[in-house]
Amino acid sequence: MSAERILVRGTPVQAGVIGAYLASRWLAAGRALELAIDPEDNTAAPFVTRPSIHRLHGEIGLPTDQLFARCGGSPVLAAEAQTADGSSVQLPFSAFGVPRGGLEFHQYWLRASRLSEQADLTEFSLSLALQNAAHKPPLAQLAQLPVEFGIAFDRAAYGNALLSFAKAGGASVVESGNEQEQDADLVIQCSPDAGAPKWHGQELTIALESDIPGLEWHHLSSAARRFASLAAPLSNCAPEQAEWTRLAVAENERVADMRELLSINDPLASSRPALQRKAEVFVACGRIPTEDYEVFTPPEWLAALWARGVRPRRSDRMAERLPDAQLLDWLDQLRGQIASLTRQVQAA
Amino acid sequence: MGANEGKQAINRVVVVGGGTAGWMTAAGLASMLGPTGLEITLIESEAIGVVGVGEATLPHIKNFNDTIGVNEAEFMAATSATFKLGIEFVNWGRKGDSYIHPFGEFGLPNAGVAFHQYWRKFAGQPGVGSLDEYSLPVIASRLGKFQPPSEDPRSVMSTYRYAYQFDALQYAPFMRSHAEARGVTRMEGKVVDVALEPESGRVSALTMDDGRVVEGDLFVDCTGFFGLLIEKTLNAGYDDWSEWLPADRAVAVPCESAGPLLPYTRATAHEAGWSWRIPLQHRTGNGHVYSSQFLSDDAACDTLLEGLEGERLADPRFLRFVTGKRRKLWSRNVVAIGLSGGFLEPLESTSIYLIQEGITKLLELFPADQDCDVEVAEYNHWMDLQFERVRDFLILHYHATERDDSDFWNHMRTMTVPDSLAERLELFTAHGHVSAYDHGLFLVPSWVAVLIGQRVLPSSVDARVSRQADAEVLRHLAGLKGHMEKAAGSMEDHAAYLARNNMMRAAA
Ligand SMILES: Cc1cc2nc3c(=O)[nH]c(=O)nc-3n(C[C@H](O)[C@H](O)[C@H](O)COP(=O)(O)OP(=O)(O)OC[C@H]3O[C@@H](n4cnc5c(N)ncnc54)[C@H](O)[C@@H]3O)c2cc1C
C-alpha cells in the first residue's frame, strides 16, 4: 500500500479538533497526518462546543471531565446570538417544558396563554434557567438532568490538549511555515474566509463561521467526522468528495437560514425557501418543519423564531385534549419544578 | 377569542371509503382528535367493496397501533396476523439468488465503520459466509423463529424490529370497531354526487345513492383507485412513474397454508415482474405483479398458479394500476390518503406505511379553519418527499440486477434512473459508503441489504477497515456469527409464540 499524507492547516484549536479525530479514526500504518499550526490565534472568546461534543469525545476516547477541569471548561446550555435589532437571543439546546402525548410543550403554552396570562415561553426552559443561573452545576450533576449541554473551553488550553492527543495518536505537529506541503495527498484548510466548504482535488476547505457560538466547533467536528465516515484512498475518491461537499454545503445552507432569521427585519419576508417554510408553517400552526442535515435543534429554531417576534396564529388542536384547569395546573407545576430544580442545583 | 373566529372552522371530517386507508384514518383521527369534539363520519359502500389486498406491513405500523391504543394480542387474533421480520427476495440479482431484507441491522459497527465494510473485505473467504448470516432477524426468519426485540441497547436482541402480515379483509373491520368505539359514525352507501362551493371550489357536501346529503368541512378521499374526490372531482393530476416502475397489473389468489408459519414475506422475481407470498395464520396470500407491456394476463396467472404451495382457495382476481402519485395529495379541502393518493406497487410493502404517514402529517397539520394554504403546501411537500424516496428504493430492486433473460429485465437493467439514485449507486460502488438522509423511510441497512443482496458489491472498502489486523477482523466475524446463531436459536418458534400469547384467531 502506498503511503498517504494529510496536512491540516489551522489555529491550534482548529487543527486540534481535526487532528485529534483523524489521529484516532483515520491514521494507520502507511498514513501520515501533519498539523501545521498557525499560532496567531487572536480570538479572545472561549471555544464553545455544542452537545455533540460528548459523542465526539466518546468516539475517540477523550476524557471530557479531565479536559473540562484542565481547560477552563464551563457548561453551555444555550448559545447566545445577536439579532438584527442589536439584542441578543439565547438558543437553548433542549426543549422548552416537556412534551406531552407526543405534542411539543409550546403548543400547550400557546393554548394556555389564550386562557389566561402566562409567563413568557422562555420561562419554561430548564436549559435557559440553568444557563442564566449565577453558578453552573458541576458536570456530574448536569449529566443527571434532562438537559443537553456543550462546553465552553479556554481556546488555547483546549487547542493544546487536542494537539497533544493528536500527537500521542501519531500525528506530527509543526508550526505553520515548516510543513512539507509538496508531498501532501490532501490539504485540509480551516478557513474563516472560505465562503463555501468544498473537497476537490487535493484540497478540502472547511468554511468556518463563528458568529453563533458553537458553529466553529460544529463545522470542524462535522467536517472531520464526515471525512472519516467517507474514508477512501485519497487518489481515488471522487464520489466521496462529491458527497462530502454536498452534505457540508447542505449544512451551511441551514446555518445561513438561521443567520438570516436572526438578521433580517421581517423573517416572514425571507427569500430563503427553507427559512420561509419554517416561518410560515410556524405561524400557521406552531410546528417547525425540518430539512435533511439540520445543524440547529428544534428548540433553537423555536427560540430564534420567538425572539424575532414570530408567533403562531393558533395552537395545535391536539393540545385541546387536556382540560383547561388541568392544563393551567400543569403549567404552574412545571414552572415551579424548573425554579426548584434550579435552586437545588445552585445550593449543591 | 379563537384565532379562527369568523372563518369557517373545521369541526366535521368526512372520510369517504372504508378500506384499510379509510378505517385507519378514521381510527387515527378519532383517537387523537375525537376528544376535542371533532365529528368524524365515514362513508363506505359494500357494493363497491375494497381492493382486498395489502397484507404485508413495515415496523412503523406498530407505532401507529400503539399510539391509538390497539392491544397487540387482540389485533393479531382479530386479523389472523403473523409477525414479519423482513422480506425474502428470490431471483432478483440473478436467477437462483436469495437474500432477506431484514427489519434490522447487519452485525455491529466497529470503530465507527459500518459492519458491511468488514464483511465486504473478507467476503468469499472460507467460513465468512453471506452478509445475511450476520443479521439476527434474517437468521430467525430462516429458522421460523420469533421473539419481540429487547429494549436493552447493549443486547444483540435489540438489533431488529418487526411488522405484521395480516388478512386485509379482517384489518379494516378491526380498525372499524376501534374507530366506532371512539365515536366515528359509519354510513353505508355509495356517494353519487359531490357538491362544490361556487366561489372557493371546495367540496361542501356529498349526496349518497339513497338521497342522503352529508356535509363536511374537511374531506378525506380514501376511495382507493377511484380517487372520487381528489381526481374525479378536483382533477388534482397524477405524476406517472411507470417510466421507472412499469408494473401495472397484479393477479392475486389465496391458498391453503403449507409448511411452517414463516415470519417473513417472500418476493420472487419472474420474467416480467414478481410474485408475493404472505403467510397468515389461516392461509397464504399470493399475487403476481407484472408489466402488461411485457407479459399477458394469462401468462401472469399461469405463473402465479404454478407457484402456489397449497390448495387454491378462490378464483384469481386481476387488478390494474399506474405507479405514481397524485400531483397534489391535499387539494382545497380534500386530502387523499391510500390508493387514491398514489401507488408505488407492492414491493417492500410501503403502501400502508404511506397511509400512516399521511394520517400522521394530517394530524400534525390539522387546520383550524379553511384558511390553511400553508398547512396544505406543507403536507404536499412532505408527502412528495416520502413518495420520491420510496420510489428510488423500489427502482433499485429492478435496476440492480444481472438478469438478462427477458426483455423486461433488459429494459430495467439498462434504463436511466433518477439522478438521486444514480449518485447513490456511484457512491456505494466506489467504497461501500451509503448516502443517508434524515427524512425518508429506508435507512442505511435497508440500502445495504438490497445492494449487496443483488450483487452490487463495492469495488473496494472504507479505507479505515485496514486499520484493524485481518486476523482480528476474521476472529470478530466468526464470533459475531456464532453469537447471532445462538441468539436466534434461542428464540421461540413463531407459531408457538403466537399460540402461547393468545394471538391465534379462534377457529370459526
Ligand atoms: C396488488 C396489490 C398488492 C398490495 N400489497 C400491499 C402490501 O403488501 N402492503 C401494503 O402496505 N400495501 C399493499 N397494497 C396497497 C394496499 O392494498 C392499499 O394501500 C390498502 O389496501 C388501502 O387501500 P384503500 O383503502 O386506499 O382502497 P380500497 O381498499 O380500494 O378502499 C376503497 C374504499 O372506498 C369505497 N368507495 C369507493 N368509491 C366509493 C363511492 N363512490 N362511495 C362510497 N364508497 C366508495 C370502497 O367501497 C372502499 O371501501 C397492495 C395493493 C395492490 C393493488
Side-chain angles (χ1 to χ4, degrees):
Chain A
M1 204 212 303
S2 66
E4 282 188 332
R5 191 166 155 270
I6 292 182
L7 173 67
V8 183
R9 285 179 201 287
T11 63
V13 80
Q14 294 164 353
V17 174
I18 304 287
Y21 198 82
L22 295 192
S24 165
R25 288 282 165 124
W26 175 82
L27 204 51
R31 292 191 194 139
L33 178 64
E34 189 171 14
L35 312 177
I37 308 303
D38 174 3
E40 295 284 304
D41 186 357
N42 299 323
T43 322
F47 184 69
V48 176
T49 65
R50 294 174 57 82
S52 55
I53 188 164
H54 304 288
R55 196 177 115 201
L56 186 123
H57 277 182
E59 277 172 17
I60 64 177
L62 272 169
T64 301
D65 43 354
Q66 286 174 27
L67 287 172
F68 186 84
R70 269 178 32 215
C71 307
S74 158
V76 180
L77 295 108
E80 190 152 334
Q82 302 303 307
T83 64
D85 54 17
S87 59
S88 70
V89 49
Q90 290 182 303
L91 310 176
F93 296 138
S94 297
F96 290 85
V98 281
R100 185 170 178 147
L103 192 61
E104 289 166 310
F105 171 79
H106 69 271
Q107 298 282 4
Y108 292 100
W109 182 93
L110 286 167
R111 192 175 146 239
S113 66
R114 295 223 166 85
L115 298 172
S116 65
E117 199 170 320
Q118 293 297 320
D120 190 69
L121 180 63
T122 50
E123 302 279 313
F124 291 85
S125 164
L126 180 58
S127 302
L128 294 181
L130 294 172
Q131 176 71 20
N132 298 329
H135 307 290
K136 299 264 165 44
L139 269 198
Q141 193 175 8
L142 261 184
Q144 306 299 316
L145 295 174
V147 284
E148 301 276 320
F149 63 96
I151 297 171
F153 290 107
D154 174 85
R155 189 171 278 269
Y158 186 59
N160 287 332
L162 292 180
L163 290 176
S164 304
F165 179 82
K167 232 168 152 174
S172 60
V173 181
V174 297
E175 196 157 305
S176 172
N178 298 333
E179 68 273 28
Q180 295 185 319
E181 172 140 15
Q182 314 80 292
D183 48 274
D185 299 288
L186 177 69
V187 178
I188 299 182
Q189 195 81 41
C190 305
S191 166
D193 320 304
K198 191 170 182 181
W199 180 8
H200 184 70
Q202 284 168 271
E203 187 158 312
L204 186 155
T205 308
I206 304 170
L208 292 174
E209 299 162 305
S210 54
D211 49 337
I212 301 174
L215 263 191
E216 189 183 5
W217 151 261
H218 176 83
H219 288 312
L220 290 164
S221 58
S222 128
R225 183 186 273 136
R226 190 161 284 148
F227 173 79
S229 75
L230 290 166
L234 296 174
S235 56
N236 168 25
C237 57
E240 284 81 6
Q241 292 184 338
E243 180 71 354
W244 188 95
T245 305
R246 181 179 77 84
L247 298 176
V249 167
E251 277 195 355
N252 275 35
E253 289 297 311
R254 302 292 70 81
V255 172
D257 289 342
M258 177 63 89
R259 184 170 298 118
E260 173 138 316
L261 170 59
L262 295 173
S263 61
I264 194 173
N265 280 333
D266 177 5
L268 285 164
S270 169
S271 58
R272 298 188 61 80
L275 174 58
Q276 201 177 31
R277 176 177 169 226
K278 278 194 170 71
E280 283 181 359
V281 175
F282 185 64
V283 169
C285 62
R287 299 252 170 193
I288 303 175
T290 57
E291 308 281 326
D292 283 325
Y293 324 119
E294 288 281 359
V295 172
F296 300 100
T297 58
E300 290 172 277
W301 282 109
L302 174 56
L305 287 160
W306 204 256
R308 298 310 327 278
V310 185
R311 294 285 182 279
R313 277 200 306 145
R314 63 178 175 92
S315 57
D316 193 300
R317 186 168 183 142
M318 280 192 264
E320 290 167 31
R321 291 176 302 179
L322 203 57
D324 294 357
Q326 215 177 317
L327 171 69
L328 296 174
D329 268 4
W330 179 52
L331 258 67
D332 268 358
Q333 279 170 23
L334 258 178
R335 259 192 95 203
Q337 283 166 4
I338 290 173
S340 87
L341 208 56
T342 312
R343 270 196 310 275
Q344 274 173 35
V345 164
Q346 293 294 294
Chain B
M1 189 192 285
N4 58 336
E5 187 140 322
K7 296 172 187 161
Q8 198 184 327
I10 295 189
N11 282 315
R12 297 165 303 170
V13 174
V14 180
V15 179
V16 189
T20 296
W23 281 114
M24 279 179 81
T25 304
L29 290 177
S31 300
M32 305 307 284
L33 295 181
T36 69
L38 189 70
E39 283 175 32
I40 304 155
T41 304
L42 184 143
I43 303 173
E44 65 176 325
S45 159
E46 269 168 27
I48 296 177
V50 298
V51 72
V53 281
E55 311 202 308
T57 64
L58 295 176
H60 311 72
I61 194 165
K62 180 162 163 41
N63 302 348
F64 180 79
N65 284 355
D66 289 349
T67 305
I68 66 168
V70 165
N71 172 293
E72 187 172 70
E74 278 172 23
F75 154 73
M76 300 289 293
T79 62
S80 307
T82 55
F83 288 105
K84 177 181 174 190
L85 294 170
I87 305 176
E88 182 189 21
F89 289 88
V90 179
N91 294 342
W92 285 81
R94 267 187 208 167
K95 272 186 169 179
D97 280 0
S98 154
Y99 72 93
I100 289 185
H101 166 197
F103 299 143
E105 311 280 333
F106 291 100
L108 300 166
N110 183 20
V113 184
F115 175 80
H116 71 272
Q117 298 280 5
Y118 294 100
W119 172 84
R120 168 66 184 115
K121 180 169 177 190
F122 297 100
Q125 293 208 11
V128 170
S130 70
L131 186 62
D132 273 4
E133 294 172 49
Y134 299 87
S135 160
L136 192 54
V138 173
I139 307 169
S141 293
R142 302 250 189 236
L143 293 173
K145 303 261 193 171
F146 179 78
Q147 186 174 312
S150 157
E151 280 172 16
D152 177 358
R154 291 161 308 175
S155 163
V156 71
M157 296 296 289
S158 70
T159 58
Y160 63 95
R161 300 201 291 158
Y162 66 88
Y164 311 107
Q165 304 167 126
F166 54 61
D167 185 324
L169 295 176
Q170 294 169 350
Y171 182 65
F174 179 80
M175 279 291 137
R176 173 181 163 185
S177 59
H178 191 88
E180 285 183 321
R182 281 155 188 77
V184 173
T185 306
R186 174 184 181 272
M187 294 175 75
E188 166 59 36
K190 191 172 166 186
V191 173
V192 290
D193 193 37
V194 182
L196 301 182
E197 283 170 7
E199 264 179 36
S200 66
R202 287 193 287 258
V203 173
S204 57
L206 310 174
T207 306
M208 298 185 50
D209 48 2
D210 59 5
R212 282 178 294 173
V213 173
V214 183
E215 292 184 341
D217 306 316
L218 182 74
F219 292 81
V220 188
D221 186 342
C222 296
T223 59
F225 290 131
F226 293 100
L228 179 72
L229 305 180
I230 196 75
E231 193 58 54
K232 300 238 162 53
T233 309
L234 299 186
N235 305 308
Y238 198 74
D239 287 326
D240 179 339
W241 287 340
S242 47
E243 168 193 1
W244 297 301
L245 295 171
D248 57 353
R249 306 256 167 115
V251 51
V253 70
C255 74
E256 281 179 357
S257 307
L261 207 50
L262 297 176
Y264 61 91
T265 297
R266 180 176 296 145
T268 306
H270 298 297
E271 181 192 337
W274 61 280
S275 65
W276 76 76
R277 178 195 182 280
I278 303 176
L280 307 178
Q281 291 179 15
H282 59 315
R283 63 164 172 81
T284 301
N286 308 278
H288 185 178
V289 178
Y290 56 99
S291 165
S292 63
Q293 208 189 318
F294 294 91
L295 194 73
S296 72
D297 291 348
D298 287 346
C301 191
D302 289 347
T303 304
L304 177 67
L305 297 179
E306 278 161 24
L308 294 187
E309 290 174 4
E311 198 65 30
R312 169 151 72 93
L313 294 174
D315 287 336
R317 215 158 53 85
F318 285 87
L319 297 144
R320 292 174 176 218
F321 53 86
V322 179
T323 56
K325 59 167 269 296
R326 216 51 78 192
R327 220 158 266 157
K328 281 185 179 174
L329 283 131
W330 186 339
S331 175
R332 299 182 205 165
N333 62 339
V334 172
V335 188
I337 295 183
L339 295 172
S340 62
F343 184 50
L344 297 179
E345 80 136 274
L347 195 65
E348 292 285 359
S349 325
T350 54
S351 196
I352 295 174
Y353 165 80
L354 288 166
I355 291 174
Q356 195 183 324
E357 199 60 21
I359 298 168
T360 306
K361 258 302 156 217
L362 174 59
L363 280 167
E364 283 180 13
L365 297 167
F366 198 87
D369 53 49
Q370 302 289 5
D371 178 9
C372 59
D373 291 353
V374 173
E375 286 93 328
V376 172
E378 177 59 18
Y379 183 92
N380 288 331
H381 174 88
W382 180 261
M383 293 305 293
D384 285 356
L385 187 72
Q386 301 306 314
F387 269 85
E388 275 165 30
R389 289 192 166 163
V390 168
R391 176 198 69 191
D392 281 7
F393 189 61
L394 297 187
I395 297 171
L396 172 71
H397 294 65
Y398 288 105
H399 184 63
T401 183
E402 294 176 3
R403 285 190 65 157
D404 57 2
D405 53 299
S406 68
D407 290 348
F408 175 78
W409 288 107
N410 284 335
H411 169 74
M412 299 309 285
R413 201 187 64 250
T414 55
M415 72 181 173
T416 307
V417 298
D419 289 348
S420 43
L421 178 57
E423 282 157 19
R424 269 178 179 280
L425 283 165
E426 197 190 349
L427 183 66
F428 186 77
T429 48
H431 303 99
H433 297 120
V434 183
S435 185
Y437 37 59
D438 295 334
H439 300 315
L441 169 57
F442 292 104
L443 307 180
V444 171
S446 293
W447 288 90
V448 169
V450 176
L451 285 160
I452 291 184
Q454 296 193 197
R455 297 172 177 271
V456 182
L457 291 183
S459 44
S460 183
V461 293
D462 187 299
R464 291 167 298 169
V465 168
S466 62
R467 299 176 77 228
Q468 224 172 337
D470 288 3
E472 203 182 317
V473 176
L474 284 167
R475 239 192 340 271
H476 173 69
L477 290 178
L480 193 61
K481 193 144 73 102
H483 189 46
M484 296 256 179
E485 252 170 47
K486 207 165 144 208
S490 72
M491 288 162 75
E492 196 168 348
D493 172 74
H494 179 211
Y497 182 90
L498 290 169
R500 188 171 62 77
N501 290 286
N502 302 321
M503 292 173 165
M504 295 297 274
R505 189 179 176 87

